[in-house]
Amino acid sequence: MSALQEFLAAREIWQVPLAASVVAGALLGALGVYVVLRRTVFVSAALTQLSTLGLVATLLAEERFHIETEHASEQLLVAITFSVVGALVLGALRSRRLPAEATVGTAWVVSSALVVLGASRLVHAAHDLGGMVFGNAVAVPASDLAVIAGVAVLCTVVHQLFAKELAFTSFDAETAQAVGMRVQVWDSVLFLTIGLAIPVTARALGALPVFAFLTLPAAGALLLGARFRVAFPLAAALGVVAAAGGYVLSWIWELPTGATMVALAAFLAAPAALRRLAR
Amino acid sequence: MSGALVRLEGAAIGYGRRPLLQGLDLAVGPGEFLAVVGPNGGGKTTLLRTLLGAHAPVAGRVVRREGLRVGYVPQREHVDTIWPFTAGEVTLMGRVPVLGPWRRPRRADREEARRALSRVGVEHLAEKRFGELSGGQRQRTLIARALVADPELLALDEPTSGMDPAAELGLMDLLRELQRNGALTIVMVSHRLEAVANYARALAFVDKDRRLFRVGSLDEMLRPDALGALYGRAVAVREEAGRRLVYPLSSNGEEVLP
């Protein structure tokens, strides 16, 4: 039996994780258009770390202080809280005395250090954490798929309803504010969707692929020369191909799932980048 | 001025609690063309944004006529050109505050955007990427975006910055034409007095470092004492071929070409 036939025969094992990866790839790919165009790629990295820090905090609370957080929903709620609060704070940053990058970098490096420190104190759950950070999309429960799908629907509805406000305030906040638009409110709406999407997808895919999907598909779509409205479906499609293709290839070639997805996402973006370089 | 569109009353402008300039009184009436002139970093943009309500005054009051429709043209360099919008899409954004949430732009809004591009002479660039336009074309697109909301007050921040003389004259001619034909009130910020001396009807000199804030008609403000307060040195004003030319004088009394 070939590797592909084996893969197809094991459909019951992979259909939920694959579906979760595909939805996450589409969602993060589309949101990534704003992440890349607003030059906030590093914000998404910091949020991914903050979300992981939330998970570490729940695991520590359980192991060290015997606070019951073994339910996935409780862990997810804490991760969402860390990510959303971080998103609202980091997304609202405007350069004053320090460049915004300095604060975002501080958030990233401090949360990364706290993740390492927290993980070093974990005894039983240390192995689980590895999957959360580097991706282990092989085993995703149906409940996680439902949550990812729910968040994807919510984000899609919000971005459809307020597309023009989010685009205007992101593109030219100065003018939007001058003509009376509440830029901070719209920034919060945007970063709320990003802050929500990161922890729910990070649970399924891991932090590394989430950061990659928020960057590479959008970068690929924009480098291909897509116009603003076209960039969203194109980036989502690239995210889907990278997620699904990476999942299948990692199964067949017995590679780490998250890293394979990231490599494929980079591979898909490469021709567009080369084309732009050749100009 | 009782019919003013917007008025500063004893206002202090600045960021946070720190005032840059204090005790400012200014009224902008309908049909006026006011140029706010001063050195870079002198507080002109802060004054403009305080007038528009984008910044709260540190002290005093800003009174705007209720329902005042405002169009704003930012400094061209502040608009990020990596966004893959066409000139038409950028112009259509001007309809967003008019439409409000929930409503999507319709054919009539697109038609308004096309008309606005036509008014500033760049209708043919509607499908071209904003980032691929020249500086002057980009500036005209941003003016079209401001016009598409049918503003009563058009505020512009350094609209001719970085332009060559021909493009600068073309843009200033356009603004004068819009102001006359469209019954627009214009408030524009510029660090170059020479650029606005033949177009504005009133001038405000602003320089926070000299604690300077002086407002008056063009004739009042182009007198030696007012210009001396702005430049900190003697200034000559000449009229050649119907145009006013402003020459700051060097320390040995020679004219410095504008």
Side-chain angles (χ1 to χ4, degrees):
Chain A
M1 195 185 248
S2 72
L4 184 62
Q5 284 172 323
E6 276 180 32
F7 173 74
L8 293 173
R11 209 183 81 187
E12 284 199 1
I13 299 172
W14 55 252
Q15 59 186 8
V16 171
L18 182 60
S21 303
V22 163
V23 177
L27 172 62
L28 297 171
L31 290 175
V33 175
Y34 274 113
V35 171
V36 171
L37 287 174
R38 287 182 62 123
R39 302 175 191 259
T40 51
V41 167
F42 215 43
V43 170
S44 68
L47 295 182
T48 313
Q49 279 309 98
L50 279 169
S51 161
T52 309
L53 182 61
L55 292 172
V56 171
T58 60
L59 297 174
L60 270 177
E62 191 178 339
E63 274 198 17
R64 294 272 153 174
F65 306 109
H66 307 291
I67 299 169
E68 293 291 318
T69 58
E70 79 268 29
H71 293 300
S73 58
E74 289 160 350
Q75 293 175 359
L76 186 60
L77 204 62
V78 175
I80 286 174
T81 305
F82 273 62
S83 175
V84 164
V85 170
L88 294 179
V89 173
L90 298 178
L93 286 177
R94 294 271 184 265
S95 297
R96 286 273 169 92
R97 287 185 184 173
L98 271 179
E101 290 93 332
T103 315
V104 175
T106 304
W108 179 80
V109 81
V110 170
S111 53
S112 300
L114 290 175
V115 166
V116 173
L117 287 173
S120 73
R121 310 308 294 168
L122 288 173
V123 181
H124 307 297
H127 180 261
D128 298 342
L129 192 64
M132 290 173 189
V133 175
F134 297 109
N136 182 17
V138 178
V140 178
S143 58
D144 278 11
L145 172 60
V147 173
I148 293 171
V151 168
V153 169
L154 179 69
C155 290
T156 307
V157 169
V158 167
H159 280 258
Q160 282 292 318
L161 278 178
F162 305 119
K164 65 184 192 305
E165 285 83 5
L166 295 174
F168 188 15
T169 53
S170 293
F171 170 60
D172 186 359
E174 181 183 330
T175 300
Q177 193 183 28
V179 297
M181 293 188 69
R182 300 177 74 181
V183 172
Q184 278 189 327
V185 171
W186 295 114
D187 276 357
S188 299
V189 170
L190 175 66
F191 280 97
L192 201 66
T193 58
I194 295 170
L196 200 56
I198 285 174
V200 299
T201 52
R203 260 181 67 82
L205 303 184
L208 184 69
V210 166
F211 178 42
F213 282 146
L214 278 169
T215 313
L216 294 170
L222 293 167
L223 285 170
L224 279 171
R227 279 164 62 160
F228 184 68
R229 274 188 293 174
V230 179
F232 290 92
L234 185 55
L238 288 172
V240 166
V241 173
Y247 190 95
V248 175
L249 292 177
S250 74
W251 183 294
I252 293 172
W253 291 337
E254 295 181 8
L255 294 169
T257 313
T260 310
M261 289 176 175
V262 174
L264 187 57
F267 181 75
L268 290 172
L274 291 173
R275 179 172 160 259
R276 188 54 66 103
L277 275 175
R279 276 187 182 180
Chain B
M1 191 187 293
S2 58
L5 299 180
V6 60
R7 205 165 58 229
L8 294 183
E9 292 179 351
I13 60 165
Y15 291 93
R17 290 183 199 164
R18 188 188 295 176
L20 299 176
L21 283 164
Q22 304 185 63
L24 312 188
D25 291 298
L26 170 69
V28 181
E32 214 166 271
F33 191 148
L34 170 71
V36 180
V37 181
N40 288 330
K44 305 183 298 294
T45 298
T46 310
L47 172 66
L48 183 68
R49 293 178 63 75
T50 306
L51 272 173
L52 298 178
H55 281 320
V58 179
R61 290 206 311 158
V62 182
V63 183
R64 271 181 301 281
R65 210 199 61 206
E66 205 169 318
L68 178 68
R69 295 190 307 276
V70 174
Y72 179 74
V73 181
Q75 290 188 35
R76 192 167 76 247
E77 298 78 14
H78 290 191
V79 181
D80 198 337
T81 51
I82 66 163
W83 290 74
F85 289 118
T86 62
E89 288 169 333
V90 169
T91 308
L92 192 58
M93 279 181 197
R95 298 291 297 167
V96 174
V98 180
L99 290 168
W102 315 113
R103 276 186 59 198
R104 286 173 175 231
R106 298 185 178 174
R107 181 180 289 193
D109 299 299
R110 289 189 184 85
E111 191 55 31
E112 286 287 342
R114 193 195 58 73
R115 266 200 294 274
L117 283 167
S118 173
R119 277 177 83 182
V120 299
V122 290
E123 187 189 1
H124 60 291
L125 301 173
E127 289 304 311
K128 194 155 183 189
R129 287 215 180 197
F130 182 73
E132 292 170 1
L133 302 178
S134 70
Q137 291 169 337
R138 235 179 277 160
Q139 197 68 65
R140 283 171 184 261
T141 304
L142 293 175
I143 294 172
R145 181 180 67 176
L147 293 176
V148 83
D150 190 22
E152 296 156 275
L153 174 67
L154 179 63
L156 306 98
D157 193 357
E158 299 277 8
T160 62
S161 169
M163 282 187 177
D164 59 60
E168 181 177 271
L169 280 176
L171 191 79
M172 292 307 299
D173 285 343
L174 168 71
L175 291 178
R176 180 161 58 188
E177 199 182 308
L178 289 170
Q179 194 244 347
R180 284 178 182 166
N181 300 343
L184 260 179
T185 301
I186 291 182
V187 179
M188 75 170 272
V189 158
S190 175
H191 68 277
R192 280 180 20 85
L193 177 59
E194 300 76 19
V196 296
N198 292 289
Y199 297 89
R201 290 185 192 164
L203 292 173
F205 291 166
V206 176
D207 185 356
K208 69 172 174 30
D209 295 332
R210 295 166 189 265
R211 298 191 176 178
L212 171 68
F213 178 74
R214 216 160 154 170
V215 192
S217 69
L218 199 63
D219 290 335
E220 287 167 353
M221 300 301 282
L222 290 183
R223 285 181 190 151
D225 62 318
L227 291 171
L230 176 67
Y231 284 95
R233 62 171 65 210
V235 177
V237 180
R238 291 174 177 277
E239 199 156 326
E240 288 177 18
R243 295 183 69 84
R244 282 186 170 116
L245 300 173
V246 181
Y247 295 91
L249 300 176
S250 67
S251 51
N252 60 9
E254 290 175 351
E255 291 176 354
V256 179
L257 286 174

